Structures are given as C-alpha cells and as structure tokens.
C-alpha cells in the first residue's frame, strides 16, 4: 500500500511538471512574440505566429497523448473549436479525435476482472485483444457473451479517476498563476466546468441509465438504435 502511494505521488508530480512545462513554454513564447511584434513587419510576424502555433500545438498533442485523462479530454474539446484557437491548433489537435493509442490488453483485462470479481472468461466466450476504439477516458473492445450475444465493452483506463482529479488540481494551480500575471485572462471557469461534468463521464453505470432514457425517447424511430445495456456485467468502470 505504501509503495502504491509513493508511485501515485510520483505520478502526480510528474504530470504536474509535464503540464506546467508544456504550457509554460507556450506562454513564454507568446510573450516573446508579442515583444517581437513591435519590431517586425506584419507579414513576417504572421509567418512567425503560424510556425509558433504549429510547434506549440504539436507539443500539446504529444503531452495529451502521453498523459491522457483530463488533458487529452480538454485537448479533444478545444481541438474542435475554431472559434477559440488559431487554425494551426485545430489542424493538429483535431487528430486527437480518432488517433488515441490504446492501452494494453493486459491492463484492460485487469480492470474488467477487478470490476466483475471474476476471470474474463467467466463473463465472455470471446474478448478481442485489440480495441475497436480508444478515447481520453476509456476504450472499447468487441466481445461475445456465453449465450452468443455480440457486445461492445467500454472499459475505463486504469487509475483514470485519480489522474483526472490530480489533473484538475494541477490545472487549477496553473490557471490561477496565469490569472495572477495576466489579469484579463481568466481560465478558472473552464476548470470549474470540467470539475462539474467529468465525474459524470467517469460513471458508466450512470451512462447506461442515460442510454436507456434516450432509447425510450426514440423508440418510435426505426432509423436510430441505442444498444441494450447488459446490467449484470455493467459497473461504474465497465459498460457492456
């Protein structure tokens, strides 16, 4: 247990440092460019901003892929907002929508078995080793039940809930520091919104109930389908 706490503290410290260094370099680069803008011509400055924005976006992309969790979720969101970020960021960060590398089958198996309290084979006659989709908080595997039913199994990444809480704390500290220096730049509402909504996304049992509610709303439609939830195999971290 003590080793686990030490590992968790090290992980949190590393993530905090990674987040701070990534966004710190971008902030300093922005301030430098603002100074240079007073001396350089408009066209040259535009080219400089484009190069800087792309390098910065690629740096954020690498950090999001490495850390996953809240950072990846936030980058997926802002990567779909051309009204918020320059085009270079949108071009790079939009790739996070469908290019998230999956975690290993061994890690996914461990989560499923912990949640179900039994070996994977007790619940499924087949469980694909490769995921069919992976995102910021979870990934999906094709599987088959012992009665022959073909199902999709959404599995939360190991320790993702703790990492999300840690990232929220790190972002809050970072954004408070930015707000102290840049009085007209308040990012705290973003942290507050993420803190309000993300816990719901980490509760797959709640997601299953929402799916059933939506299914009732559209039951008169023959062009839409909500897959049935298999409740005996569904928990807060596994949705079948």
């Amino acid at each position: 247990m003590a080793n686990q706490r030490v590992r968790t503290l090290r992980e949190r410290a590393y993530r905090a440092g990674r987040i701070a260094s990534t966004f710190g370099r971008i902030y300093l680069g922005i301030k430098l460019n603002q100074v240079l803008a007073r001396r350089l011509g408009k066209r040259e400055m535009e080219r400089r901003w484009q190069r800087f924005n792309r390098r910065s976006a690629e740096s954020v992309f690498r950090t999001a892929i490495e850390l996953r969790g809240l950072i990846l979720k936030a980058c997926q969101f802002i990567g779909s907002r051309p009204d918020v970020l320059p085009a270079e960021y949108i071009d790079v960060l939009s790739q996070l929508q469908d290019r998230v590398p999956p975690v290993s089958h061994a890690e996914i198996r461990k989560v499923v078995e912990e949640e179900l309290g039994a070996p994977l084979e007790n619940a499924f006659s087949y469980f694909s080793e490769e995921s069919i989709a992976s995102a910021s908080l979870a990934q999906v595997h094709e599987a088959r039940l012992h009665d022959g039913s073909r199902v999709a199994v959404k599995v939360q990444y190991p320790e993702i809930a703790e990492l999300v809480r840690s990232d929220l704390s790190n972002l809050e500290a970072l954004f408070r520091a930015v707000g102290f220096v840049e009085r007209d730049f308040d990012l705290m509402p973003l942290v507050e919104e993420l803190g309000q909504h993300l816990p719901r996304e980490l509760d797959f049992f709640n997601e299953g109930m929402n799916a059933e509610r939506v299914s009732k709303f559209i039951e008169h439609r023959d062009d839409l389908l909500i897959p049935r939830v298999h409740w005996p195999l569904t928990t807060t971290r596994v949705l079948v």
Side-chain angles (χ1 to χ4, degrees), residues 42-57:
K42 181 179 179 181
R43 185 167 299 178
E44 182 179 355
M45 202 61 221
E46 285 179 352
R47 290 195 294 266
R48 185 179 181 88
W49 275 116
Q50 288 172 355
R51 292 194 300 270
F52 171 77
N53 287 338
R54 180 161 292 277
R55 288 197 304 269
S56 298

Side-chain angles (χ1 to χ4, degrees), residues 53-70:
N53 287 338
R54 180 161 292 277
R55 288 197 304 269
S56 298
E58 290 170 349
S59 176
V60 172
F61 180 93
R62 290 191 296 270
T63 299
I65 288 293
E66 177 188 352
L67 299 184
R68 297 178 180 267
L70 173 64

Side-chain angles (χ1 to χ4, degrees), residues 66-82:
E66 177 188 352
L67 299 184
R68 297 178 180 267
L70 173 64
I71 303 304
L72 178 53
K73 188 75 175 177
C75 289
Q76 286 178 325
F77 172 70
I78 62 177
S80 64
R81 296 291 303 274

Side-chain angles (χ1 to χ4, degrees), residues 81-182:
R81 296 291 303 274
D83 58 318
V84 174
L85 291 177
E88 295 80 15
Y89 281 90
I90 303 304
D91 184 46
V92 174
L93 297 184
S94 62
Q95 299 176 47
L96 291 170
Q97 302 295 338
D98 56 6
R99 296 191 186 181
V100 181
V103 304
S104 70
H105 175 67
E107 293 177 274
I108 292 300
R109 169 186 277 269
K110 183 179 179 182
V111 172
V112 175
E113 292 182 341
E114 286 177 352
E115 289 296 296
L116 301 184
L120 194 69
E121 292 74 16
N122 284 18
F124 307 99
S125 61
Y126 166 75
F127 193 98
S128 63
E129 292 198 3
E130 293 186 2
S131 67
I132 56 176
S134 54
S136 56
L137 306 178
Q139 65 190 48
V140 179
H141 289 254
E142 180 183 354
R144 196 170 294 277
L145 304 182
H146 288 290
D147 65 3
S149 300
R150 181 169 175 250
V151 296
V153 186
K154 184 178 180 180
V155 186
Q156 204 169 111
Y157 294 132
E159 302 176 3
I160 192 67
E162 175 60 31
L163 294 179
V164 164
R165 286 190 290 270
S166 173
D167 289 346
L168 273 172
S169 178
N170 293 334
L171 283 180
E172 181 177 1
L174 177 64
F175 289 170
R176 284 192 187 281
V178 171
F180 181 78
V181 177
E182 303 287 344

Side-chain angles (χ1 to χ4, degrees), residues 7-23:
R7 190 174 73 83
T8 300
L9 289 173
R10 286 177 178 170
E11 172 75 3
R12 292 184 63 174
Y14 175 78
R15 294 175 72 86
R18 191 79 169 83
I19 292 169
S21 63
T22 297
F23 291 97

Side-chain angles (χ1 to χ4, degrees), residues 179-200:
F180 181 78
V181 177
E182 303 287 344
R183 297 293 185 176
D184 298 327
F185 198 55
D186 184 13
L187 293 172
M188 290 309 297
L190 174 60
V191 175
E192 292 166 1
E193 184 171 350
L194 288 170
Q196 179 181 356
H197 293 290
L198 267 176
R200 300 174 188 171

